[in-house]
Amino acid sequence: NSATEEMHGYGPGEFDGVHVSAVDAPEDAPLLPERLRRIANGERLSFEVSHFRKDGSLFPVQVRAARVIVDGRVCILAISRDLTDQRRSEALLREKEAQLAHVARISTIGEMVSGIAHELNQPLYTIQNYAHACGHMLNSNDEIDRDKLAEWLDQIACTAEYAGEVLMRLRNFVKRAPVEPTEVELSETVD
């Protein structure tokens, strides 16, 4: 009919006699004989495939097909619906969901600022104290306790690494990335 011709990019009458196998995408073609057999045996089918337009472009189609008897002949009636707009809307929805998830993460960061400030202030304060202690030891007229100095410098390095890890976790949390749901053990998460 004219809607099918238009959907496939054909003019009036140009689609007459075109077999469905000519418009099925290569990955869908192997399924066609079995589908036709099942429909001819009376089964009603609904499935999605990709079809070629006259210009060679592919588009998603939902097909509902059933057997009908016309003048004693078994025929197949297929109703096709172009899913292009639906797929476009679904992709837009996924993009909006990703944007919303990003905004939610940013909002969460805003709420976590005080906790993060504490989490970072603690190691910075520790680094500052050990650095001052090292400076006092070096500036005093007393003999330098090299073991104590090495221990304090090691504490500065370890604490700086910890502060860097806090910042890295924060950066990864805020980073705009697609939402990837995963399964987790709820009891471990709660713990």
Side-chain angles (χ1 to χ4, degrees):
N1 62 24
S2 60
T4 303
E5 289 173 334
E6 185 178 324
M7 182 170 55
H8 287 85
Y10 288 86
E14 288 183 324
F15 204 61
D16 292 350
V18 175
H19 192 270
V20 68
S21 62
V23 295
D24 266 353
E27 63 271 12
D28 295 318
L31 303 172
L32 181 61
E34 176 62 17
R35 285 180 175 150
L36 292 175
R37 185 194 61 72
R38 289 171 57 193
I39 296 165
N41 287 332
E43 194 174 339
R44 293 175 184 232
L45 294 183
S46 178
F47 51 91
E48 293 182 15
V49 291
S50 294
H51 275 184
F52 284 107
R53 288 191 173 92
K54 185 179 178 182
D55 66 7
S57 63
L58 280 171
F59 67 105
V61 178
Q62 179 187 44
V63 178
R64 291 195 172 125
R67 178 181 72 182
V68 293
I69 307 297
V70 178
D71 296 328
R73 289 181 41 214
V74 174
C75 298
I76 294 175
L77 173 65
I79 299 170
S80 301
R81 185 170 66 102
D82 185 345
L83 297 176
T84 303
D85 290 339
Q86 180 180 331
R87 292 294 184 264
R88 192 175 299 122
S89 295
E90 290 168 355
L92 183 60
L93 179 61
R94 282 191 299 276
E95 181 182 327
K96 296 296 181 192
E97 286 174 342
Q99 289 173 356
L100 183 60
H102 179 69
V103 168
R105 286 194 300 270
I106 297 299
S107 175
T108 301
I109 288 296
E111 295 169 10
M112 295 170 53
V113 165
S114 64
I116 292 166
H118 172 74
E119 193 77 27
L120 289 176
N121 279 335
Q122 195 72 18
L124 292 175
Y125 183 69
T126 301
I127 291 169
Q128 182 182 21
N129 282 341
Y130 277 116
H132 283 305
C134 290
H136 288 305
M137 183 182 286
L138 293 173
N139 291 330
S140 75
N141 292 330
D142 299 335
E143 186 177 323
I144 295 175
D145 182 347
R146 293 188 170 285
D147 290 337
K148 185 61 88 181
L149 185 61
E151 178 187 330
W152 291 349
L153 290 172
D154 188 48
Q155 284 294 328
I156 290 172
C158 289
T159 307
E161 281 182 31
Y162 172 75
E165 289 172 9
V166 169
L167 289 173
M168 185 60 73
R169 286 195 311 263
L170 179 61
R171 179 182 292 148
N172 288 340
F173 183 77
V174 174
K175 182 171 63 175
R176 186 173 192 155
V179 177
E180 295 183 26
T182 59
E183 291 185 18
V184 296
E185 182 59 45
L186 189 56
S187 60
E188 290 177 17
T189 303
V190 171
D191 289 343

